[in-house]
Coordinates of all heavy atoms in Angstrom, one line a residue:
M198 N 6.5 -17.0 13.9 CA 5.1 -16.8 13.5 C 4.7 -15.4 13.8 O 4.0 -14.8 12.9 CB 4.3 -17.8 14.3 CG 2.8 -17.8 13.9 SD 2.6 -18.0 12.1 CE 1.8 -19.6 12.1
L199 N 5.2 -14.8 14.9 CA 4.8 -13.4 15.2 C 5.4 -12.5 14.1 O 4.7 -11.5 13.6 CB 5.3 -13.0 16.5 CG 5.1 -11.6 17.0 CD1 3.6 -11.3 17.0 CD2 5.7 -11.3 18.3
R200 N 6.6 -12.8 13.6 CA 7.2 -12.0 12.6 C 6.4 -12.0 11.3 O 6.2 -11.0 10.6 CB 8.6 -12.5 12.3 CG 9.3 -11.9 11.1 CD 10.4 -11.0 11.6 NE 11.1 -10.4 10.5 CZ 11.1 -9.1 10.2 NH1 10.4 -8.3 10.9 NH2 11.8 -8.7 9.2
L201 N 5.9 -13.2 10.9 CA 5.0 -13.3 9.8 C 3.7 -12.5 9.9 O 3.3 -11.9 9.0 CB 4.7 -14.8 9.5 CG 5.8 -15.6 8.8 CD1 5.3 -17.0 8.6 CD2 6.2 -15.0 7.5
K202 N 3.1 -12.5 11.1 CA 2.0 -11.7 11.4 C 2.3 -10.2 11.2 O 1.4 -9.5 10.6 CB 1.4 -12.0 12.8 CG 0.7 -13.3 12.9 CD 0.2 -13.5 14.3 CE -0.5 -14.9 14.4 NZ -1.1 -15.1 15.7
K203 N 3.4 -9.8 11.7 CA 3.8 -8.4 11.5 C 4.0 -8.1 10.0 O 3.5 -7.0 9.5 CB 5.1 -8.1 12.3 CG 4.9 -8.0 13.8 CD 6.3 -7.8 14.4 CE 6.2 -6.6 15.3 NZ 7.6 -6.3 15.9
I204 N 4.7 -9.0 9.3 CA 4.9 -8.7 7.9 C 3.6 -8.7 7.2 O 3.3 -7.9 6.3 CB 5.8 -9.8 7.3 CG1 7.2 -9.7 7.9 CG2 5.9 -9.8 5.8 CD1 8.2 -10.8 7.6
F205 N 2.6 -9.6 7.5 CA 1.4 -9.7 6.9 C 0.6 -8.4 7.1 O 0.1 -7.8 6.1 CB 0.5 -10.9 7.4 CG -0.8 -10.9 6.8 CD1 -1.0 -11.4 5.5 CD2 -1.9 -10.6 7.5 CE1 -2.3 -11.4 5.0 CE2 -3.2 -10.6 7.0 CZ -3.4 -11.0 5.7
T206 N 0.6 -7.9 8.3 CA -0.1 -6.6 8.6 C 0.6 -5.5 7.8 O -0.1 -4.7 7.2 CB 0.0 -6.3 10.1 OG1 -0.7 -7.4 10.8 CG2 -0.7 -5.0 10.4
F207 N 1.9 -5.4 7.8 CA 2.6 -4.4 7.1 C 2.3 -4.5 5.6 O 2.0 -3.5 4.9 CB 4.1 -4.5 7.3 CG 4.9 -3.6 6.5 CD1 5.0 -2.3 6.8 CD2 5.7 -4.1 5.4 CE1 5.8 -1.4 6.1 CE2 6.5 -3.3 4.7 CZ 6.5 -1.9 5.0
T208 N 2.3 -5.7 5.0 CA 2.1 -5.9 3.6 C 0.6 -5.6 3.2 O 0.4 -5.1 2.2 CB 2.5 -7.3 3.1 OG1 1.9 -8.2 3.9 CG2 4.0 -7.4 3.2
I209 N -0.3 -5.9 4.1 CA -1.7 -5.6 3.8 C -1.8 -4.1 3.6 O -2.4 -3.6 2.7 CB -2.6 -6.1 4.9 CG1 -2.7 -7.6 4.8 CG2 -4.0 -5.4 4.8 CD1 -3.4 -8.1 3.6
I210 N -1.2 -3.4 4.6 CA -1.3 -1.9 4.5 C -0.6 -1.4 3.2 O -1.1 -0.6 2.5 CB -0.7 -1.3 5.8 CG1 -1.5 -1.5 7.0 CG2 -0.5 0.2 5.6 CD1 -0.9 -1.2 8.3
L211 N 0.6 -1.9 3.0 CA 1.3 -1.5 1.8 C 0.6 -2.0 0.5 O 0.5 -1.3 -0.5 CB 2.7 -2.1 1.8 CG 3.7 -1.4 2.7 CD1 5.0 -2.2 2.6 CD2 3.9 0.0 2.3
N212 N 0.2 -3.2 0.6 CA -0.4 -3.9 -0.5 C -1.6 -3.3 -1.1 O -2.0 -3.5 -2.2 CB -0.6 -5.3 -0.3 CG 0.7 -5.9 0.3 OD1 1.7 -5.4 0.1 ND2 0.5 -7.0 1.0
L213 N -2.2 -2.6 -0.2 CA -3.4 -2.0 -0.6 C -3.2 -0.9 -1.7 O -4.1 -0.2 -2.0 CB -4.1 -1.4 0.7 CG -4.1 -2.3 1.8 CD1 -4.5 -1.6 3.0 CD2 -4.8 -3.6 1.6
F214 N -2.0 -0.9 -2.2 CA -1.7 0.3 -3.1 C -0.9 0.1 -4.2 O 0.1 0.9 -4.4 CB -1.0 1.4 -2.3 CG -1.2 1.3 -0.8 CD1 -0.2 0.6 -0.1 CD2 -2.3 1.8 -0.2 CE1 -0.4 0.6 1.3 CE2 -2.4 1.7 1.2 CZ -1.5 1.1 1.9
V215 N -0.9 -0.8 -5.1 CA 0.0 -0.9 -6.2 C -0.7 -1.5 -7.5 O -1.6 -2.3 -7.3 CB 1.2 -1.7 -6.0 CG1 2.4 -1.3 -6.8 CG2 1.5 -1.8 -4.5
S216 N -0.3 -1.2 -8.7 CA -0.9 -1.8 -9.9 C 0.0 -1.8 -11.1 O 1.0 -1.2 -11.1 CB -2.2 -1.0 -10.3 OG -2.7 -1.5 -11.4
C217 N -0.4 -2.6 -12.1 CA 0.4 -2.7 -13.3 C 0.3 -1.3 -14.1 O 0.2 -1.3 -15.2 CB -0.2 -3.8 -14.1 SG -1.9 -3.8 -14.4
G218 N 0.4 -0.3 -13.4 CA 0.5 1.0 -13.9 C 1.9 1.5 -14.1 O 2.2 2.7 -14.1
G219 N 2.8 0.6 -14.2 CA 4.2 1.0 -14.5 C 5.1 1.0 -13.3 O 5.7 2.0 -13.0
W220 N 5.3 -0.1 -12.7 CA 6.4 -0.2 -11.7 C 7.7 -0.5 -12.4 O 7.8 -1.5 -13.1 CB 6.0 -1.4 -10.8 CG 5.0 -1.1 -9.8 CD1 3.6 -0.8 -10.1 CD2 5.0 -1.1 -8.4 NE1 2.9 -0.6 -9.0 CE2 3.7 -0.8 -7.9 CE3 6.1 -1.3 -7.5 CZ2 3.5 -0.7 -6.5 CZ3 5.8 -1.2 -6.1 CH2 4.5 -0.9 -5.7
D221 N 8.7 0.3 -12.2 CA 10.0 0.0 -12.7 C 10.8 -0.9 -11.7 O 10.3 -1.1 -10.7 CB 10.8 1.3 -13.2 CG 11.1 2.2 -12.0 OD1 11.3 1.7 -10.9 OD2 11.3 3.4 -12.2
S222 N 11.9 -1.3 -12.2 CA 12.7 -2.2 -11.4 C 13.2 -1.6 -10.1 O 13.2 -2.3 -9.0 CB 13.9 -2.8 -12.2 OG 14.7 -1.6 -12.6
K223 N 13.4 -0.3 -10.0 CA 13.8 0.3 -8.8 C 12.7 0.4 -7.8 O 12.9 0.1 -6.6 CB 14.3 1.8 -9.1 CG 14.7 2.5 -7.9 CD 15.1 4.0 -8.2 CE 15.5 4.7 -6.9 NZ 15.3 6.1 -7.0
E224 N 11.5 0.6 -8.3 CA 10.3 0.7 -7.4 C 10.0 -0.7 -6.9 O 9.6 -0.8 -5.7 CB 9.1 1.3 -8.2 CG 9.3 2.7 -8.6 CD 8.4 3.2 -9.7 OE1 7.8 2.4 -10.4 OE2 8.4 4.5 -9.9
R225 N 10.1 -1.7 -7.8 CA 9.9 -3.1 -7.3 C 10.8 -3.5 -6.2 O 10.5 -4.1 -5.2 CB 10.0 -4.0 -8.5 CG 9.8 -5.5 -8.2 CD 9.9 -6.3 -9.5 NE 9.9 -7.7 -9.2 CZ 10.9 -8.4 -8.7 NH1 12.1 -7.9 -8.6 NH2 10.7 -9.7 -8.5
A226 N 12.1 -3.1 -6.4 CA 13.1 -3.5 -5.5 C 12.9 -2.8 -4.1 O 13.1 -3.4 -3.1 CB 14.5 -3.1 -6.0
E227 N 12.5 -1.5 -4.2 CA 12.1 -0.8 -3.0 C 11.0 -1.5 -2.2 O 11.1 -1.7 -1.0 CB 11.7 0.6 -3.3 CG 11.3 1.5 -2.1 CD 10.8 2.8 -2.5 OE1 11.5 3.5 -3.3 OE2 9.8 3.2 -2.0
F228 N 10.0 -1.9 -2.9 CA 8.9 -2.6 -2.3 C 9.3 -3.9 -1.6 O 9.0 -4.1 -0.5 CB 7.8 -2.9 -3.3 CG 6.6 -3.6 -2.7 CD1 5.5 -2.9 -2.2 CD2 6.6 -5.0 -2.7 CE1 4.4 -3.6 -1.7 CE2 5.5 -5.7 -2.1 CZ 4.4 -5.0 -1.6
L229 N 10.1 -4.7 -2.4 CA 10.5 -5.9 -1.8 C 11.4 -5.8 -0.6 O 11.3 -6.5 0.4 CB 11.2 -6.7 -2.9 CG 10.3 -7.2 -4.1 CD1 11.1 -7.8 -5.2 CD2 9.2 -8.1 -3.6
Q230 N 12.3 -4.7 -0.6 CA 13.2 -4.5 0.5 C 12.4 -4.1 1.7 O 12.7 -4.5 2.8 CB 14.2 -3.4 0.1 CG 15.3 -3.2 1.2 CD 16.1 -4.4 1.4 OE1 16.3 -5.2 0.6 NE2 16.6 -4.6 2.7
E231 N 11.4 -3.2 1.5 CA 10.6 -2.8 2.6 C 9.8 -4.0 3.2 O 9.7 -4.2 4.4 CB 9.5 -1.7 2.2 CG 10.2 -0.4 2.0 CD 9.2 0.6 1.4 OE1 8.0 0.4 1.4 OE2 9.7 1.7 1.0
C232 N 9.3 -4.8 2.3 CA 8.5 -6.0 2.7 C 9.4 -7.0 3.6 O 9.0 -7.5 4.6 CB 8.0 -6.7 1.5 SG 7.2 -8.3 1.9
K233 N 10.7 -7.2 3.1 CA 11.5 -8.1 3.8 C 12.1 -7.5 5.1 O 12.7 -8.3 5.9 CB 12.7 -8.6 2.9 CG 12.2 -9.4 1.7 CD 13.3 -10.0 0.9 CE 14.1 -9.0 0.2 NZ 15.2 -9.6 -0.7
G234 N 12.0 -6.2 5.2 CA 12.5 -5.6 6.4 C 14.0 -5.8 6.6 O 14.5 -5.8 7.7
G235 N 14.7 -5.8 5.5 CA 16.2 -6.0 5.6 C 16.7 -7.4 5.7 O 17.9 -7.6 5.7
L236 N 15.8 -8.3 5.9 CA 16.2 -9.7 6.0 C 16.3 -10.3 4.7 O 15.7 -10.0 3.7 CB 15.1 -10.5 6.8 CG 14.9 -10.0 8.3 CD1 13.7 -10.8 8.9 CD2 16.2 -10.2 9.1
D237 N 17.2 -11.4 4.6 CA 17.5 -12.0 3.3 C 17.2 -13.5 3.3 O 18.0 -14.3 3.0 CB 18.9 -11.7 2.9 CG 19.1 -12.0 1.4 OD1 18.2 -11.9 0.7 OD2 20.3 -12.2 1.0
K238 N 16.0 -13.8 3.8 CA 15.6 -15.2 3.9 C 14.8 -15.6 2.7 O 13.9 -14.8 2.2 CB 14.8 -15.5 5.1 CG 15.7 -15.3 6.4 CD 15.0 -15.8 7.6 CE 15.9 -15.6 8.8 NZ 15.4 -16.4 9.9
E239 N 15.1 -16.8 2.1 CA 14.4 -17.2 0.9 C 12.9 -17.3 1.0 O 12.2 -16.9 0.1 CB 15.0 -18.5 0.4 CG 14.5 -18.9 -1.0 CD 14.8 -17.9 -2.1 OE1 15.9 -17.4 -2.0 OE2 14.0 -17.7 -2.9
D240 N 12.4 -17.8 2.1 CA 11.0 -18.0 2.3 C 10.3 -16.6 2.4 O 9.2 -16.4 1.9 CB 10.6 -18.8 3.5 CG 11.2 -18.3 4.8 OD1 12.3 -17.6 4.8 OD2 10.7 -18.6 5.9
L241 N 11.0 -15.6 3.0 CA 10.5 -14.3 3.1 C 10.5 -13.6 1.7 O 9.5 -12.9 1.3 CB 11.3 -13.5 4.1 CG 10.7 -12.2 4.6 CD1 9.3 -12.4 5.1 CD2 11.6 -11.6 5.7
A242 N 11.5 -13.9 0.9 CA 11.6 -13.4 -0.4 C 10.4 -13.8 -1.3 O 9.8 -13.0 -2.0 CB 12.9 -13.7 -1.1
S243 N 10.1 -15.1 -1.2 CA 9.0 -15.6 -2.1 C 7.7 -15.0 -1.6 O 6.8 -14.7 -2.4 CB 9.0 -17.1 -2.1 OG 8.8 -17.6 -0.8
L244 N 7.5 -14.9 -0.3 CA 6.3 -14.3 0.3 C 6.2 -12.9 -0.2 O 5.1 -12.5 -0.7 CB 6.3 -14.3 1.8 CG 5.3 -13.4 2.5 CD1 4.0 -14.0 2.4 CD2 5.7 -13.1 3.9
C245 N 7.3 -12.1 -0.2 CA 7.2 -10.7 -0.6 C 7.0 -10.6 -2.1 O 6.3 -9.6 -2.6 CB 8.5 -10.0 -0.2 SG 8.6 -9.7 1.6
E246 N 7.5 -11.5 -2.9 CA 7.3 -11.5 -4.3 C 5.8 -11.7 -4.6 O 5.2 -11.1 -5.5 CB 8.1 -12.6 -5.0 CG 9.6 -12.3 -5.1 CD 9.9 -11.4 -6.3 OE1 9.1 -11.1 -7.2 OE2 11.1 -11.0 -6.3
C247 N 5.2 -12.6 -3.9 CA 3.8 -13.0 -4.1 C 2.9 -11.7 -3.7 O 2.0 -11.4 -4.5 CB 3.4 -14.1 -3.2 SG 1.7 -14.6 -3.3
V248 N 3.2 -11.1 -2.6 CA 2.5 -9.9 -2.2 C 2.7 -8.8 -3.2 O 1.7 -8.2 -3.6 CB 3.0 -9.5 -0.8 CG1 2.4 -8.1 -0.5 CG2 2.5 -10.5 0.2
Y249 N 3.9 -8.6 -3.7 CA 4.2 -7.6 -4.7 C 3.3 -7.8 -5.9 O 2.7 -6.9 -6.5 CB 5.7 -7.6 -5.1 CG 5.9 -6.8 -6.3 CD1 6.0 -5.4 -6.3 CD2 6.0 -7.4 -7.5 CE1 6.2 -4.6 -7.4 CE2 6.2 -6.7 -8.7 CZ 6.3 -5.3 -8.6 OH 6.4 -4.6 -9.8
D250 N 3.3 -9.1 -6.4 CA 2.5 -9.3 -7.6 C 1.1 -8.9 -7.5 O 0.5 -8.3 -8.4 CB 2.6 -10.9 -7.9 CG 4.0 -11.3 -8.4 OD1 4.8 -10.4 -8.8 OD2 4.2 -12.5 -8.4
N251 N 0.5 -9.2 -6.4 CA -0.9 -8.8 -6.1 C -1.1 -7.3 -6.0 O -2.0 -6.7 -6.6 CB -1.4 -9.5 -4.9 CG -1.6 -11.0 -5.1 OD1 -2.6 -11.4 -5.8 ND2 -0.8 -11.8 -4.6
V252 N -0.2 -6.7 -5.3 CA -0.3 -5.2 -5.1 C -0.1 -4.5 -6.5 O -0.8 -3.6 -6.8 CB 0.7 -4.8 -4.0 CG1 0.8 -3.2 -4.0 CG2 0.3 -5.3 -2.7
A253 N 0.9 -4.9 -7.2 CA 1.3 -4.3 -8.5 C 0.2 -4.5 -9.5 O 0.1 -3.7 -10.4 CB 2.6 -4.8 -9.0
N254 N -0.6 -5.6 -9.4 CA -1.7 -5.8 -10.3 C -2.9 -4.9 -10.0 O -3.7 -4.8 -10.9 CB -2.1 -7.2 -10.3 CG -1.1 -8.2 -11.0 OD1 -0.5 -7.7 -11.9 ND2 -1.0 -9.4 -10.6
E255 N -3.0 -4.3 -8.8 CA -4.1 -3.5 -8.5 C -3.8 -2.0 -8.4 O -4.6 -1.2 -8.7 CB -4.6 -4.0 -7.1 CG -5.9 -3.3 -6.7 CD -7.1 -3.4 -7.6 OE1 -7.2 -4.5 -8.2 OE2 -7.9 -2.5 -7.7
F256 N -2.6 -1.7 -8.0 CA -2.2 -0.2 -7.8 C -1.0 0.1 -8.6 O -0.1 -0.6 -8.8 CB -1.9 0.0 -6.3 CG -3.1 -0.2 -5.4 CD1 -3.2 -1.4 -4.8 CD2 -3.9 0.8 -5.1 CE1 -4.3 -1.6 -3.9 CE2 -5.0 0.6 -4.3 CZ -5.2 -0.6 -3.7
T257 N -1.0 1.4 -9.0 CA 0.2 1.9 -9.7 C 1.2 2.2 -8.5 O 0.8 2.3 -7.3 CB 0.0 3.2 -10.4 OG1 -0.5 4.2 -9.5 CG2 -1.1 3.1 -11.5
Y258 N 2.5 2.4 -8.9 CA 3.5 2.8 -7.9 C 3.1 4.1 -7.2 O 3.2 4.2 -5.9 CB 4.9 2.9 -8.5 CG 5.9 3.2 -7.5 CD1 6.4 2.2 -6.6 CD2 6.4 4.5 -7.4 CE1 7.3 2.6 -5.6 CE2 7.4 4.8 -6.4 CZ 7.8 3.9 -5.6 OH 8.8 4.2 -4.6
K259 N 2.6 5.1 -7.9 CA 2.2 6.3 -7.4 C 1.1 6.2 -6.4 O 1.1 6.8 -5.3 CB 1.8 7.3 -8.5 CG 1.4 8.6 -8.1 CD 1.1 9.5 -9.3 CE 0.7 10.9 -8.9 NZ 0.4 11.8 -10.0
E260 N 0.1 5.3 -6.7 CA -1.0 5.1 -5.8 C -0.5 4.4 -4.5 O -0.9 4.7 -3.4 CB -2.0 4.2 -6.4 CG -2.8 4.8 -7.5 CD -3.7 3.9 -8.3 OE1 -3.3 2.7 -8.5 OE2 -4.8 4.3 -8.7
Y261 N 0.4 3.4 -4.7 CA 1.0 2.7 -3.6 C 1.7 3.7 -2.6 O 1.5 3.7 -1.4 CB 2.0 1.7 -4.1 CG 3.0 1.2 -3.1 CD1 2.7 0.5 -2.0 CD2 4.3 1.7 -3.2 CE1 3.7 0.1 -1.1 CE2 5.3 1.3 -2.3 CZ 4.9 0.5 -1.2 OH 5.9 0.2 -0.3
K262 N 2.5 4.6 -3.2 CA 3.3 5.5 -2.4 C 2.3 6.5 -1.6 O 2.5 6.8 -0.4 CB 4.3 6.3 -3.2 CG 5.5 5.5 -3.7 CD 6.2 4.8 -2.5 CE 7.0 5.8 -1.7 NZ 7.8 5.1 -0.6
K263 N 1.3 6.9 -2.3 CA 0.3 7.8 -1.7 C -0.3 7.1 -0.5 O -0.4 7.7 0.6 CB -0.8 8.2 -2.7 CG -1.9 9.1 -2.1 CD -3.0 9.3 -3.1 CE -4.2 9.9 -2.4 NZ -5.4 9.2 -2.6
L264 N -0.8 5.9 -0.7 CA -1.4 5.2 0.3 C -0.5 4.8 1.5 O -0.9 4.8 2.7 CB -2.1 3.9 -0.2 CG -3.3 4.2 -1.1 CD1 -3.8 2.9 -1.8 CD2 -4.5 4.8 -0.3
S265 N 0.8 4.5 1.2 CA 1.7 4.1 2.2 C 2.0 5.3 3.1 O 2.4 5.1 4.3 CB 2.9 3.5 1.6 OG 3.6 4.5 0.9
D266 N 1.8 6.5 2.6 CA 2.0 7.7 3.4 C 0.8 8.1 4.3 O 1.0 9.0 5.1 CB 2.4 8.9 2.5 CG 3.8 8.7 1.9 OD1 4.6 7.9 2.5 OD2 4.1 9.3 0.9
L267 N -0.3 7.5 4.0 CA -1.5 7.9 4.7 C -1.8 6.9 5.9 O -1.4 5.8 5.9 CB -2.8 7.8 3.8 CG -2.8 8.8 2.6 CD1 -4.1 8.4 1.8 CD2 -2.9 10.2 3.2
D268 N -2.5 7.4 6.9 CA -3.0 6.5 7.9 C -4.2 5.8 7.3 O -4.9 6.3 6.5 CB -3.5 7.4 9.1 CG -4.2 6.6 10.2 OD1 -3.4 6.1 11.1 OD2 -5.4 6.4 10.1
F269 N -4.3 4.5 7.6 CA -5.4 3.7 7.0 C -6.8 4.2 7.2 O -7.7 4.0 6.4 CB -5.3 2.2 7.3 CG -5.7 1.9 8.7 CD1 -7.0 1.5 9.0 CD2 -4.8 1.9 9.8 CE1 -7.4 1.2 10.3 CE2 -5.2 1.6 11.0 CZ -6.5 1.2 11.3
H270 N -7.0 5.1 8.2 CA -8.3 5.7 8.4 C -8.6 6.7 7.4 O -9.7 7.2 7.2 CB -8.4 6.3 9.8 CG -8.3 5.3 10.9 ND1 -9.2 4.3 11.0 CD2 -7.4 5.1 11.9 CE1 -8.9 3.5 12.1 NE2 -7.8 4.0 12.6
S271 N -7.5 7.2 6.6 CA -7.7 8.2 5.6 C -8.0 7.7 4.2 O -8.2 8.5 3.3 CB -6.4 9.1 5.6 OG -6.1 9.6 6.8
Y272 N -8.0 6.4 4.1 CA -8.3 5.8 2.7 C -9.7 6.1 2.3 O -10.6 6.1 3.1 CB -8.1 4.3 2.7 CG -6.7 3.8 3.1 CD1 -6.5 2.5 3.5 CD2 -5.6 4.6 3.0 CE1 -5.3 2.0 3.8 CE2 -4.3 4.2 3.3 CZ -4.2 2.9 3.7 OH -2.9 2.4 4.0
T273 N -9.9 6.3 1.0 CA -11.2 6.5 0.5 C -12.0 5.2 0.5 O -11.4 4.1 0.5 CB -11.2 7.1 -0.9 OG1 -10.6 6.2 -1.8 CG2 -10.4 8.4 -0.9
A274 N -13.3 5.3 0.3 CA -14.1 4.1 0.1 C -13.6 3.2 -1.1 O -13.5 2.0 -1.0 CB -15.5 4.4 -0.1
K275 N -13.2 3.9 -2.2 CA -12.7 3.2 -3.4 C -11.4 2.5 -3.1 O -11.2 1.4 -3.5 CB -12.6 4.2 -4.5 CG -12.2 3.5 -5.8 CD -12.1 4.5 -7.0 CE -11.7 3.7 -8.2 NZ -11.6 4.6 -9.4
E276 N -10.5 3.2 -2.4 CA -9.2 2.6 -2.0 C -9.4 1.4 -1.1 O -8.8 0.3 -1.3 CB -8.3 3.6 -1.4 CG -7.9 4.7 -2.3 CD -7.3 5.9 -1.6 OE1 -7.5 6.1 -0.4 OE2 -6.6 6.7 -2.3
N277 N -10.3 1.5 -0.1 CA -10.7 0.4 0.7 C -11.2 -0.8 0.0 O -10.8 -2.0 0.2 CB -11.6 0.8 1.8 CG -10.9 1.5 3.0 OD1 -9.9 1.1 3.4 ND2 -11.6 2.5 3.5
E278 N -12.1 -0.5 -1.0 CA -12.6 -1.6 -1.8 C -11.5 -2.3 -2.6 O -11.6 -3.6 -2.7 CB -13.7 -1.1 -2.8 CG -15.0 -0.9 -2.1 CD -15.6 -2.1 -1.4 OE1 -15.6 -3.2 -2.1 OE2 -16.0 -2.0 -0.3
R279 N -10.6 -1.5 -3.2 CA -9.5 -2.2 -3.9 C -8.7 -3.0 -3.1 O -8.2 -4.0 -3.5 CB -8.7 -1.1 -4.7 CG -9.6 -0.4 -5.7 CD -8.8 0.8 -6.4 NE -7.7 0.3 -7.2 CZ -6.7 1.1 -7.6 NH1 -6.8 2.4 -7.3 NH2 -5.8 0.7 -8.3
L280 N -8.4 -2.6 -1.9 CA -7.6 -3.3 -0.9 C -8.3 -4.6 -0.5 O -7.7 -5.7 -0.4 CB -7.3 -2.5 0.3 CG -6.3 -1.4 0.0 CD1 -6.2 -0.4 1.3 CD2 -5.0 -1.9 -0.3
K281 N -9.6 -4.5 -0.2 CA -10.4 -5.7 0.1 C -10.4 -6.7 -1.0 O -10.3 -7.9 -0.8 CB -11.8 -5.4 0.4 CG -12.0 -4.7 1.7 CD -13.5 -4.3 2.0 CE -13.6 -3.5 3.3 NZ -15.0 -3.1 3.5
K282 N -10.4 -6.2 -2.2 CA -10.3 -7.1 -3.4 C -9.1 -7.9 -3.5 O -9.2 -9.1 -3.9 CB -10.4 -6.2 -4.7 CG -10.3 -6.9 -6.0 CD -10.4 -5.9 -7.1 CE -9.9 -6.6 -8.4 NZ -9.8 -5.6 -9.5
I283 N -7.9 -7.4 -3.1 CA -6.7 -8.2 -3.2 C -6.3 -8.9 -1.9 O -5.4 -9.8 -2.0 CB -5.5 -7.3 -3.7 CG1 -5.2 -6.2 -2.7 CG2 -5.7 -6.8 -5.1 CD1 -3.9 -5.4 -3.0
T284 N -7.0 -8.6 -0.9 CA -6.7 -9.3 0.4 C -6.7 -10.8 0.3 O -5.8 -11.5 0.9 CB -7.6 -8.7 1.5 OG1 -7.3 -7.3 1.7 CG2 -7.3 -9.5 2.9
P285 N -7.7 -11.4 -0.2 CA -7.7 -12.9 -0.3 C -6.5 -13.5 -1.0 O -5.9 -14.5 -0.6 CB -9.0 -13.2 -1.1 CG -9.9 -12.1 -0.9 CD -9.0 -10.9 -0.8
E286 N -6.1 -12.8 -2.1 CA -4.9 -13.3 -2.9 C -3.6 -13.1 -2.0 O -2.8 -13.9 -2.1 CB -4.8 -12.5 -4.2 CG -5.8 -12.9 -5.2 CD -7.1 -12.0 -5.1 OE1 -7.2 -11.2 -4.2 OE2 -8.0 -12.3 -5.9
I287 N -3.6 -12.0 -1.3 CA -2.4 -11.8 -0.5 C -2.4 -12.8 0.7 O -1.3 -13.4 1.0 CB -2.4 -10.3 0.1 CG1 -2.1 -9.4 -1.0 CG2 -1.4 -10.2 1.2 CD1 -2.3 -7.9 -0.6
K288 N -3.5 -13.2 1.3 CA -3.5 -14.2 2.3 C -3.0 -15.5 1.7 O -2.4 -16.3 2.5 CB -5.0 -14.4 2.8 CG -5.4 -13.2 3.7 CD -6.8 -13.5 4.3 CE -7.3 -12.4 5.2 NZ -8.7 -12.7 5.7
E289 N -3.3 -15.8 0.5 CA -2.8 -17.1 -0.1 C -1.3 -17.1 -0.2 O -0.7 -18.2 -0.3 CB -3.5 -17.3 -1.5 CG -4.9 -17.7 -1.3 CD -5.6 -18.1 -2.6 OE1 -4.8 -18.5 -3.5 OE2 -6.8 -17.9 -2.7
C290 N -0.7 -15.9 -0.2 CA 0.8 -15.9 -0.2 C 1.4 -16.5 1.0 O 2.5 -17.0 1.0 CB 1.3 -14.4 -0.3 SG 0.8 -13.6 -1.8
Y291 N 0.7 -16.5 2.1 CA 1.2 -17.0 3.4 C 0.8 -18.5 3.4 O 1.2 -19.3 4.1 CB 0.5 -16.3 4.5 CG 0.9 -14.9 4.6 CD1 0.3 -13.9 3.8 CD2 2.0 -14.4 5.3 CE1 0.7 -12.6 3.8 CE2 2.4 -13.1 5.4 CZ 1.7 -12.2 4.6 OH 2.1 -10.8 4.6

């Protein structure tokens, strides 16, 4: 359960940054690998797929990478709003 909480926190931070602005298969694979933390469990894979879908629908890969490199205190009001928008959908992944 603690592991899921850590993953949720990590994915919320990451997830706050992706959209259907052109994620290629390499970028998608990178996101999923980071989400799974190197583990290869089926339940974790489906969780990460769900999170990816929500993030990728809101943020481009470029936006995601920019946000993932920032401290969350550095997000703009618009970025925070976009993250808040997808948080309920991400919570449903769990």
Side-chain angles (χ1 to χ4, degrees):
M198 187 54 113
L199 179 60
R200 175 106 175 113
L201 284 179
K202 287 181 181 181
K203 285 177 128 180
I204 292 170
F205 178 73
T206 302
F207 174 74
T208 54
I209 287 296
I210 291 169
L211 283 177
N212 307 339
L213 313 173
F214 342 94
V215 208
S216 175
C217 50
W220 285 63
D221 66 28
S222 59
K223 180 182 176 203
E224 295 162 345
R225 179 180 175 277
E227 177 185 312
F228 178 92
L229 294 174
Q230 186 63 29
E231 288 176 8
C232 176
K233 293 189 293 186
L236 298 176
D237 197 22
K238 295 191 176 194
E239 188 58 38
D240 57 333
L241 197 52
S243 61
L244 167 75
C245 291
E246 286 280 349
C247 179
V248 171
Y249 167 80
D250 289 342
N251 287 287
V252 171
N254 284 331
E255 183 62 33
F256 296 93
T257 65
Y258 181 76
K259 184 177 178 180
E260 290 171 326
Y261 156 74
K262 289 305 287 182
K263 176 188 169 232
L264 289 172
S265 66
D266 290 338
L267 294 175
D268 178 87
F269 72 93
H270 295 300
S271 302
Y272 299 160
T273 66
K275 184 177 180 181
E276 291 164 342
N277 278 321
E278 281 304 310
R279 291 174 71 193
L280 290 171
K281 286 180 187 178
K282 177 181 163 189
I283 63 171
T284 297
E286 290 86 1
I287 291 171
K288 284 182 179 179
E289 288 187 27
C290 296
Y291 295 85

